[in-house]
């Protein structure tokens, strides 16, 4: 402690009042030297200059990538490709306390399937909420392919708020995609299964197994999906795949493609050809079109059937009401991407080297004229492929997904087998450029590339294999996201980013300045329900309440202590600890973990989070702060003592700690006075400048003022004890007074540095 004291004081004096060092010394190496030494070409250096974001500067776009088998969401900046956050969605994640505090456990519990906790998700497609087809940066939705679920992430704090389980599907894939005003989020089934939770032999596949699309109603004001206002449309047992919503002229419709329209059921163990053979026999599969707006009206009119408590429009109703149509599409298709103007739908067949561009206008004309090529086995009218097509372009082997440029008619398609990105003109139907990637691209993403206003500039290729791109780290390789410059006529590869967290499928990128995430919560906030926490604690109101064998602890935390610091309970008690972080300062997150338990909280400023534990093992369990929050972070600790049943107080005497005398008090008092002198000078330095013009400094000054308030209070306590000649307590409180001074000084110095670096001006007093 004393060592820190000296160091800090020295820092105060030297940094605070020494000459500010304006680094003007030339680096010994020139750019040429470095290029030579590191073997960099001109092109490498240009790429570096295009992607490098200097310290303190920020990225122009934020990308949200699915986290694949991690069940999470990955956030990174473009063009720097710096990873900023893994947002916990379907899987417990200790850093964020997700699945380790009671509040987030309640969110994960919403995602139980058949009453079982599911602690894994396979996230594929994130979608940012839209207003008039433009990304608005408010919410993000993401699906879980394995357990058909959808999650809502609030982009005001990047936290998962809700998980809904699809009531009729057993797996899904074609979600999440949103309507142009985010009234609905779509989820399309993947592997057909019976809607009811029951056994049905595969011999009844055609009759009893079904596909579907679900339209989840989103209440933007509440920021939550409303399951009771959501509905589905029954579809044939084709494996539905990707989906997209119409916009502009095609608004009101949704489009979903499918594979295995052969309805093959496999059975390799019975000597039958495997799924992959039986599911790719026909030359074409089916593209489904659903008039979702009319479907919503049919539900309102009572034309849906309740299945598992959920409204489903059955196929016969859908056919009769004219809201469901099919069109052949290239076999084993994958992507389904509506053009920014909503006039065209692009589909690629993985086993075909073409992309097919469908014309919404032509499709509607065929429907209007009842000009159908036939019906499928379920009576759904089929539109003629040729008559529906705008054009067809040979783009390469294994085309998957398509994204759009800010330039009209320009699209980019991922070419899996050829490991390429093809840039092409979908109006004229011609290829413009090709670029090799490394290796086996899945999705690709342009900036806001599936909205009505694509931003161009960059493309990220989400590659399935990295192979030789990075330092080897064992047989399991990271994924490779490659950044590509698309601002010119020719695509230029800029950067390889390893992603070591599951296999991302789709990603979306938004202009960073559209996001306005909060810095702190309102004090005592339950971030998962977005309401004041029922068990928040105000400063001074910390307490421990007991009701039978249920113990409730109302705890607060602020640099660098918990209140209370000692919790004594009895073996067999159920203990719930509600911790409120009283901090208002930016980035002052505290953690809270208890030895021998899974309790682990992340307490951002203002948040209240809770841990419930069963005190079934008697003993001593230290708890501590898991975030390095201040110079005395290690001292941010406490004890949970669990007294065994029938514990008898022993007569063995013990002692605790050091006893302080008057000399100790005098010494501490003197230190505090000189520290105060230093603080006064820093305060003088700041207030002599136009610090109020700098928002971050104003926040720092508020924080420092708060710390100085605490210092004044503890000083009074110290002096009170000194007056009573209780030198021991007087010394301890004087020590605490000094702690607050040090925190204030630390913050003051941060403010001073900021002012120095941002050209603050001296103002006359
Ligand atoms: Cu192509 Cu799930 Cu969209 Cu994987 S998906 S790549
Ligand atoms: Cu609070 Cu470390």
């Amino acid at each position: 402690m004393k060592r820190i004291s000296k160091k800090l004081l020295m820092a105060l004096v030297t940094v605070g009042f020494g000459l500010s060092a304006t680094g003007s010394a030339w680096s010994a190496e020139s750019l040429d030297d470095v290029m030579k030494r590191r073997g960099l070409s001109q092109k490498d250096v240009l790429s570096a200059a295009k992607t490098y974001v200097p310290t303190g500067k920020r990225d122009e776009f934020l990308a949200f990538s699915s986290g694949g088998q991690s069940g999470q969401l990955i956030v990174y900046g473009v063009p720097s490709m710096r990873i900023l956050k893994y947002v916990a969605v379907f899987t417990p994640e200790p850093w964020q306390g997700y699945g380790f505090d009671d509040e987030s456990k309640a969110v994960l519990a919403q995602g139980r399937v058949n009453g079982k906790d599911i602690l894994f998700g396979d996230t594929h497609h994130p979608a940012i909420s839209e207003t008039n087809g433009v990304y608005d940066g408010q919410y993000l939705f993401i699906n879980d392919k394995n357990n058909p679920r959808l999650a809502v992430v609030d982009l005001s704090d990047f936290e998962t708020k809700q998980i809904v389980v699809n009531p009729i599907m057993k797996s899904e894939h074609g979600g999440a995609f949103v309507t142009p005003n985010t009234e609905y989020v779509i989820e399309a089934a993947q592997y057909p299964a019976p809607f009811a939770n029951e056994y049905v032999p595969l011999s009844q596949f055609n009759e009893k197994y079904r596909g579907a699309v679900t339209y989840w109603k989103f209440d933007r004001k509440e920021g939550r999906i409303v399951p009771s206002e959501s509905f589905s449309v029954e579809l044939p047992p084709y494996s539905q795949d990707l989906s997209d919503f119409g916009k502009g002229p095609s608004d009101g419709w949704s489009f979903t493609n499918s594979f295995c329209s052969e309805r093959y059921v496999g059975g390799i163990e019975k000597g039958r050809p495997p799924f992959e053979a039986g599911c790719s026999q026909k030359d074409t599969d089916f593209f489904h079109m659903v008039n979702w707006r009319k479907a919503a009206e049919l539900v309102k009119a009572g034309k849906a059937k309740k299945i598992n408590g959920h409204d489903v429009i059955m196929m016969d109703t859908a056919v009769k009401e004219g809201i469901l149509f099919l069109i052949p599409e290239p076999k084993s298709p994958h992507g389904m991407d509506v053009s920014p103007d909503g006039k065209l739908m692009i589909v690629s067949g993985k086993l075909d080297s073409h992309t097919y561009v469908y014309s919404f206008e032509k499709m509607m004309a065929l429907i209007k004229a009842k000009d159908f090529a036939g019906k499928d086995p379920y009576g759904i009218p089929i539109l003629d492929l040729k008559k529906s097509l705008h054009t067809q372009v040979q783009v390469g082997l294994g085309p998957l997904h398509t994204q759009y440029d800010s330039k009209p008619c320009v699209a980019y398609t991922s070419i899996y087998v050829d490991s390429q990105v093809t840039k092409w003109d979908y109006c004229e139907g011609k290829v413009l450029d090709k670029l090799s990637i490394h290796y086996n691209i899945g999705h690709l993403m342009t900036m806001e590339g599936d909205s009505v206003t694509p931003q161009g500039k960059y493309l990220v290729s989400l590659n399935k294999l990295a192979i030789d791109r990075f330092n080897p780290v064992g047989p399991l390789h990271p994924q490779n996201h490659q950044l590509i410059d698309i601002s010119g006529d020719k695509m230029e590869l800029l950067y390889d980013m390893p992603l070591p967290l599951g296999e991302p499928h789709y990603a979306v990128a938004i202009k960073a300045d559209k996001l306005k995430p909060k810095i702190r919560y309102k004090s005592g906030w339950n971030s998962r329900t977005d309401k004041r926490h029922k068990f928040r604690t105000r400063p001074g109101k910390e307490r421990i309440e007991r009701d039978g064998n249920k113990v409730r602890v109302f705890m607060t935390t602020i640099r660098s202590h918990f209140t209370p610091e000692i919790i004594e309970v009895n073996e067999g008690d159920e203990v719930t600890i509600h911790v409120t972080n009283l901090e208002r300062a930016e980035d002052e997150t505290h953690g809270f973990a208890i030895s021998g338990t899974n309790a682990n909280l992340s307490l951002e400023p203002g948040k209240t989070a809770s841990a419930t534990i069963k005190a079934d093992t008697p003993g001593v369990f230290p708890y501590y702060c898991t975030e390095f929050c201040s110079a005395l972070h290690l001292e941010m600790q406490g004890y949970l003592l669990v007294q065994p049943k029938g514990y008898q107080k022993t007569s063995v005497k013990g002692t605790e700690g050091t006893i302080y005398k008057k000399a100790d008090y005098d010494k501490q008092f003197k230190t505090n006075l000189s520290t105060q002198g230093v603080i006064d000078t820093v305060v003088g330095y700041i207030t002599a400048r136009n610090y109020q013009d700098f928002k971050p400094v104003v926040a720092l000054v508020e924080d420092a003022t708060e710390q100085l308030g605490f210092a004044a209070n503890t000083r009074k306590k110290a002096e009170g004890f000194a007056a009573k000649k209780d030198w021991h307590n007087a010394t301890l409180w004087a020590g605490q007074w000094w702690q607050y001074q040090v925190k204030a000084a630390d913050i003051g110095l941060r403010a001073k540095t900021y002012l120095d670096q941002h050209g603050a001006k001296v103002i006359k007093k």
Side-chain angles (χ1 to χ4, degrees), residues 124-125 173 242 334 401 442-443 464 503 505:
H124 279 237
H125 307 105
H173 189 243
L242 279 153
H334 199 33
H401 302 284
H443 273 272
K464 298 296 175 195
E503 179 204 315
H505 291 261

Side-chain angles (χ1 to χ4, degrees), residues 517-573:
K518 55 180 72 139
I519 286 169
R520 60 184 69 83
Y521 292 107
K522 285 179 195 159
S523 188
W525 202 249
N526 181 339
S527 67
R528 302 293 170 178
T529 59
D530 286 326
K531 294 190 171 78
R532 288 247 189 231
H533 203 292
K534 200 176 153 199
F535 298 110
R536 67 186 184 273
T537 308
R538 295 211 171 84
K541 305 281 186 207
E542 298 87 354
R543 64 197 183 277
I544 299 176
E545 287 177 359
R546 175 178 284 280
D547 176 10
N549 68 344
K550 287 203 161 56
V551 178
R552 205 178 279 287
V553 182
F554 294 80
M555 183 184 275
T556 64
T557 167
I558 193 160
R559 273 157 294 167
S560 314
H561 53 266
F562 297 108
T563 312
E565 292 187 328
I566 294 148
I567 303 170
E568 297 204 56
V569 299
N570 302 318
E571 180 183 357
D573 283 346

Side-chain angles (χ1 to χ4, degrees), residues 26-30 33:
W26 271 103
S27 154
E29 277 186 305
S30 71
D33 293 338

